[in-house]
Amino acid sequence: MNQEIVSKLKNKLIEEKKLLEEELSSFAHKDPEVKNNWETDFPQFGDERTEQDENANEVEEYSNALPIEYALETRLQNIDLALEKIENKNYGVCESCGKQIETERLEVEPSARTHVHCK
Ligand SMILES: [Zn+2]
């Protein structure tokens, strides 16, 4: 693969990673023990007797944030994987059939792991 294109896509991946991490850190924090694992912050509970309704809202907020956290985390992991592949010089190789993924596809989705038809 053309090195110029690879370094362009690498910059794109780094940029996307930064944005994802910013988004995640607005409601979650990094797990210090597991690489690329994020924990959604659980809202602070107030006094149980007087703020029952508010607590219920906080629980709901937390459950709504979980799938978002999971989706962002998965994207982040794919980006890291792509960056690792660039380092290992096997970037852009389809994980399913082992052939090179089209540059056009990688330009749209630099962290793509397979051909569209190999998914
Ligand atoms: Zn393939």
Side-chain angles (χ1 to χ4, degrees):
M1 209 178 172
N2 184 324
Q3 280 312 303
E4 235 172 83
I5 296 171
V6 173
S7 72
K8 201 175 84 188
L9 293 175
K10 186 181 175 182
N11 287 339
K12 241 176 150 174
L13 285 163
I14 291 170
E15 195 59 33
E16 204 179 328
K17 182 178 172 170
K18 228 168 64 189
L19 290 175
L20 282 172
E21 283 187 333
E22 267 170 31
E23 215 171 323
L24 270 165
S25 54
S26 68
F27 65 91
H29 61 273
K30 241 181 189 158
D31 184 334
E33 270 147 44
V34 186
K35 191 182 169 236
N36 278 330
N37 188 42
W38 291 69
E39 304 278 349
T40 298
D41 295 322
F42 202 83
Q44 290 298 308
F45 282 109
D47 189 308
E48 267 177 46
R49 282 158 304 177
T50 55
E51 295 173 24
Q52 286 256 344
D53 285 348
E54 206 177 300
N55 287 344
N57 285 338
E58 283 168 351
V59 171
E60 203 189 315
E61 210 174 281
Y62 177 75
S63 348
N64 289 343
L66 282 180
I68 302 169
E69 186 230 291
Y70 182 74
L72 292 173
E73 203 179 277
T74 307
R75 279 169 63 192
L76 203 57
Q77 282 165 355
N78 280 337
I79 288 172
D80 265 337
L81 200 73
L83 288 168
E84 259 172 50
K85 285 180 181 173
I86 290 174
E87 292 307 312
N88 297 330
K89 310 258 181 262
N90 59 355
Y91 174 68
V93 175
C94 173
E95 285 180 17
S96 176
C97 71
K99 290 184 189 137
Q100 185 67 47
I101 300 171
E102 306 82 7
T103 310
E104 293 76 20
R105 168 155 168 74
L106 292 170
E107 275 173 344
V108 177
E109 199 189 334
S111 56
R113 297 165 65 170
T114 61
H115 289 106
V116 180
H117 61 264
C118 284
K119 256 183 182 168

